[in-house]
């Protein structure tokens, strides 16, 4: 108990966002000039929640997560916004302070697993170190926990893999080791960039269950980046749909899956293979994501949109918040009843906390 008698403000931990991202904007050099690759990304992440970030290849999902971790390599640069973790803006920390946050309060499972395992140490010693540092376990306890965790992420013969070096493992096994390492840290926020895409379905399901358990047990919040809307439906609380570097729709998983508003979200859902339906070809949205140096003047999705009108070609749509709390960046909803332009405002939930 503290001896300090000063009144302590009551904080409802469950309704205070762990992570508040506001206006996050990151640029890369392209044909000599800096071009925004992601722009004005806003969201709140609460304990136990999973925010899924979805969108086609090149929409800026990885750049968003790398920006949160401050792992954007020069000449790329975060040029605006804030990333508040439990009240501290990570963008204001020194590089050394940031190193203390990574793999500790925030840990990340990367899309490219080889880059984040150290080639000169055995797999076991690397996972074990996580347990020792973050859960203050003795060496024998950490060893036991490591073997258990390797087994939990679906690694056959974990005692053998424990003694192996990263290059001796297949890509799928390395990915599972990375997941084991990230979970061993018991992070406040876990960022998982396509964590299970390369793995077979049974292992995928097992790993998603593990993530769920970790979240229930420790209150960890997860940002899950995935192409797989089936996974989103299983595990997400909220969904942010990204297109060409911007959030085009944001809402609860139910809103997004059952009642998508943005024509792009609708297109993504139509690309899903339907159970029990025999089709020779899957639907794909015609056209491709424009590159950042050739964004159209109006709506970035306009050239591929089957509901586009004149206004969409000429004017950029604002991000509108609807009375049910969802956000959408599309002219179709700009005049909807009760819609409010929040292009530059923060999401409602976070500010009321
Ligand atoms: N280091 C970089 N320098 C310049 N441009 C980059 C760099 N990294 C990413 N980009 C560009 O940023 C955009 C977004 O890339 P990002 O990797 O975030 O996409 P993504 O949504 O994660 O795609 P995927 O689903 O394929 O992983 C792309 O147009 C990409 O070419
Ligand atoms: Mg990516």
């Amino acid at each position: 108990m503290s001896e300090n008698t000063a009144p302590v403000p009551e904080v409802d931990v469950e309704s205070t966002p762990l992570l508040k991202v506001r206006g996050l904007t990151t640029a890369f050099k392209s044909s000599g000039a800096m071009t925004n690759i992601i722009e004005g990304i806003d969201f709140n992440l609460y304990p136990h929640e999973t925010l899924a970030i979805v969108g086609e290849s090149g929409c800026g999902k990885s750049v968003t997560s790398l920006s949160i971790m401050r792992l954007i390599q020069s000449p790329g640069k975060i040029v605006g916004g804030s990333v508040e973790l439990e009240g501290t803006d990570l963008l204001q920390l020194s590089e050394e302070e940031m190193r203390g946050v990574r793999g500790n309060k925030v840990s990340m499972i990367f899309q490219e697993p080889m880059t984040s395992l150290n080639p000169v140490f055995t797999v076991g010693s690397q996972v074990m170190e996580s347990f020792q540092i973050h859960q203050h376990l003795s060496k024998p306890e950490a060893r036991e926990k490591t073997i258990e965790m390797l087994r939990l992420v679906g690694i056959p013969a974990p005692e053998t893999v424990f003694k192996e070096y990263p290059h001796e493992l297949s890509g799928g096994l390395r990915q599972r080791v990375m997941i084991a390492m990230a979970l061993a840290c018991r992070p406040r926020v876990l960022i998982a960039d396509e964590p299970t895409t390369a793995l077979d379905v049974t292992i995928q399901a097992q790993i998603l269950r593990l993530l769920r358990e970790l979240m229930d047990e420790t209150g960890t919040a997860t940002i899950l980046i995935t192409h797989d809307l089936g996974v989103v439906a299983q595990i997400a609380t909220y969904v942010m749909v990204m297109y060409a570097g911007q959030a085009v729709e944001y809402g609860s998983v139910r809103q997004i899956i059952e009642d998508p508003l943005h024509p792009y979200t609708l297109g993504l859902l139509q690309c899903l293979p339907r159970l029990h339906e025999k089709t020779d070809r899957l639907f794909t949205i015609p056209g491709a994501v424009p590159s950042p140096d050739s964004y159209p003047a109006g709506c970035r999705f306009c050239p591929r949109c089957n509901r586009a009108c004149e206004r969409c070609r000429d004017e950029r749509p604002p991000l509108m918040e609807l009375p049910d709390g969802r956000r959408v960046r599309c002219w179709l909803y700009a005049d909807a009843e009760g819609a409010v332009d929040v292009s530059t405002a923060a999401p409602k939930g976070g500010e009321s906390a």
Side-chain angles (χ1 to χ4, degrees), residues 340-352:
V340 181
D341 184 346
V342 288
S343 301
T344 53
K348 241 185 203 163
E351 303 315 314
S352 61

Side-chain angles (χ1 to χ4, degrees), residues 39-289:
E39 224 169 63
I41 303 294
D42 280 346
F43 62 83
N44 289 331
L45 188 67
Y46 292 86
H48 300 285
E49 278 186 2
T50 299
L51 170 74
I53 305 183
V54 301
E56 289 164 292
S57 193
C59 281
K61 305 180 297 293
S62 293
V63 170
T64 301
S65 56
L66 292 171
S67 301
I68 293 169
M69 293 293 274
R70 274 188 43 194
L71 288 172
I72 294 292
Q73 306 285 331
S74 175
K77 199 170 182 267
I78 299 169
V79 292
S82 61
V83 176
E84 257 184 47
L85 176 71
E86 295 178 313
T88 304
D89 185 359
L90 300 184
L91 303 189
Q92 304 303 324
L93 297 184
S94 68
E95 185 42 46
E96 198 186 334
E97 289 168 322
M98 196 55 212
R99 269 199 294 274
V101 171
R102 286 188 211 114
N104 195 353
K105 281 188 167 176
V106 187
S107 77
M108 180 156 174
I109 303 168
F110 291 88
Q111 206 169 358
E112 310 289 343
M114 197 52 190
T115 51
S116 38
L117 283 173
N118 193 327
V120 301
F121 294 108
T122 62
V123 160
S125 66
Q126 294 184 60
V127 181
M128 219 169 108
E129 197 187 343
S130 275
F131 274 115
Q132 284 177 280
I133 297 175
H134 301 286
Q135 293 185 38
H136 311 291
L137 299 181
S138 69
K139 223 170 170 180
E141 283 170 334
R143 189 173 194 283
E144 200 177 306
K145 280 265 186 188
T146 299
I147 300 218
E148 187 191 324
M149 186 59 94
L150 293 178
R151 185 174 290 120
L152 281 173
V153 294
I155 292 178
E159 285 89 355
T160 313
V161 169
F162 186 96
K163 295 184 216 128
E164 289 181 321
Y165 290 88
H167 71 89
E168 297 179 274
L169 304 181
S170 68
L173 282 183
R174 276 201 297 265
Q175 183 66 332
R176 278 176 255 177
V177 171
M178 282 303 305
I179 294 168
M181 240 165 94
L183 298 184
C185 302
R186 299 196 160 225
R188 305 294 288 139
V189 176
L190 175 70
I191 304 178
D193 193 348
E194 301 275 6
T196 57
T197 321
L199 306 175
D200 77 58
V201 220
T202 333
I203 303 290
Q204 271 191 38
Q206 199 172 324
I207 284 170
L208 293 175
R209 261 201 309 278
L210 254 183
L211 286 179
R212 253 269 125 77
E213 277 168 27
L214 175 85
M215 291 164 70
D216 288 346
E217 203 181 301
T218 63
T220 295
T222 305
I223 298 176
L224 176 71
I225 295 175
T226 179
H227 279 96
D228 189 337
L229 285 165
V231 168
V232 171
Q234 261 183 62
I235 195 171
T237 329
Y238 285 92
V239 182
M240 178 162 82
V241 183
M242 286 190 76
Y243 187 76
Q246 293 177 317
V248 294
E249 187 162 0
Y250 175 90
S252 71
V253 66
R254 246 191 125 144
Q255 289 171 329
I256 301 287
I257 301 272
E258 289 175 11
D259 179 28
L261 296 181
H262 199 289
Y264 180 61
T265 313
L266 207 67
L268 285 180
L269 285 163
Q270 282 172 345
C271 297
L272 264 184
R274 262 171 251 279
L275 288 175
H276 317 300
E277 222 177 74
K278 263 195 155 174
T279 42
D280 291 337
R281 279 195 56 164
L282 269 180
F283 174 82
T284 49
I285 306 171
V289 184

